[in-house]
Amino acid sequence: MPFAAGKDILEVRIRHADILRRVKAVASQISKDFKGERVHLIGVLKGACFFLADLAREINLECSLDFIAVASYGKTKESSGQVRMLKDLDQNIAGLNVILVEDILDTGLTASYLLRIMKQRRPKTLKMAALLDKPSRRLRPVKGDYIGFTIPNEFVVGYGLDYAERYRNLKDVCILQLPAS
Ligand code: IMP
Ligand code: MG
């Protein structure tokens, strides 16, 4: 059983072994699509860190990494609807095969903001990878190029995803139920 704080209830939705199997498949698709080329993975902090670490190690190509941080949910489960840059990239991405790596595509606000900014910097190609996709929540027409799992409208934590900064370290992706207040 995953560790739950206080009266929170966690229910396993995607087991670690299934995550790793799927990450391998996504990495092999990327390796095929960019055969003979270099890819530049940009992880969106902090949620994508575990996904990016596992994905990068399964990609059989020349590969470089960078990170970007944006403000999203804060302490609640709902998006503020506004996206703010907290940490920009270290490197120039002009001419690179960029893959933006996100933990989850939810409303699509974060991804559409980041894709717009990245595009202005003239990468050679620009793709989007996300471990999870909740298409039913979309407010912007964003489509991931590499998706791990499509899930229904449930709030999930673990394998990088948090609730108020907690639960990122769970190995499985779990559904989080908060105690009724
Ligand atoms: P979007 O801008 O609404 O697509 O949200 C993207 C960000 O919201 C993600 O990178 C997550 O940090 C957060 N998020 C969305 N859904 C969930 C969830 O179910 N659990 C944890 N974080 C989530
Ligand atoms: Mg978050």
Side-chain angles (χ1 to χ4, degrees):
M1 272 300 284
F3 174 82
K7 288 187 177 150
D8 293 359
I9 298 169
L10 293 170
E11 183 196 323
V12 176
R13 164 151 279 280
I14 312 168
R15 296 207 169 277
H16 190 66
D18 296 327
I19 297 172
L20 294 186
R21 207 172 301 129
R22 184 68 195 129
V23 169
K24 246 184 188 176
V26 170
S28 95
Q29 186 62 52
I30 291 172
S31 305
K32 243 185 235 156
D33 293 351
F34 290 94
K35 196 166 183 231
E37 301 202 42
R38 166 185 164 193
V39 291
H40 187 66
L41 305 183
I42 296 179
V44 185
L45 294 171
K46 293 170 259 191
C49 66
F50 296 94
F51 177 41
L52 179 115
D54 286 336
L55 184 70
R57 286 177 291 182
E58 295 293 343
I59 291 176
N60 288 316
L61 300 172
E62 193 185 329
C63 182
S64 47
L65 310 179
D66 203 346
F67 294 93
I68 197 164
V70 290
S72 59
Y73 278 24
K75 288 200 171 108
T76 69
K77 281 181 170 185
E78 283 305 309
S79 172
S80 64
Q82 283 183 338
V83 185
R84 199 160 45 93
M85 172 104 64
L86 299 178
K87 182 219 167 284
D88 204 344
L89 299 174
D90 292 337
Q91 288 143 264
N92 189 344
I93 57 168
L96 298 179
N97 292 311
V98 169
I99 304 177
L100 196 62
V101 182
E102 263 275 34
D103 51 0
I104 186 166
L105 278 175
D106 188 33
T107 63
L109 288 166
T110 312
S112 66
Y113 167 83
L114 288 173
L115 288 169
R116 194 177 66 237
I117 289 182
M118 297 301 133
K119 215 170 169 182
Q120 290 165 357
R121 300 183 185 184
R122 309 240 168 261
K124 181 178 175 193
T125 58
L126 179 59
K127 302 280 182 198
M128 169 97 218
L131 176 73
L132 303 172
D133 189 10
K134 270 192 228 174
S136 63
R137 294 254 310 158
R138 211 68 103 244
L139 297 175
R140 294 281 147 78
V142 181
K143 230 184 122 291
D145 301 287
Y146 304 102
I147 297 294
F149 302 88
T150 299
I151 60 168
N153 183 15
E154 297 156 337
F155 193 82
V156 289
V157 294
Y159 195 72
L161 291 117
D162 74 306
Y163 172 64
E165 294 302 326
R166 288 177 297 128
Y167 299 125
R168 292 194 197 277
N169 62 321
L170 300 179
K171 285 190 156 186
D172 309 309
V173 168
C174 301
I175 300 169
L176 172 66
Q177 282 171 39
L178 297 171
S181 51

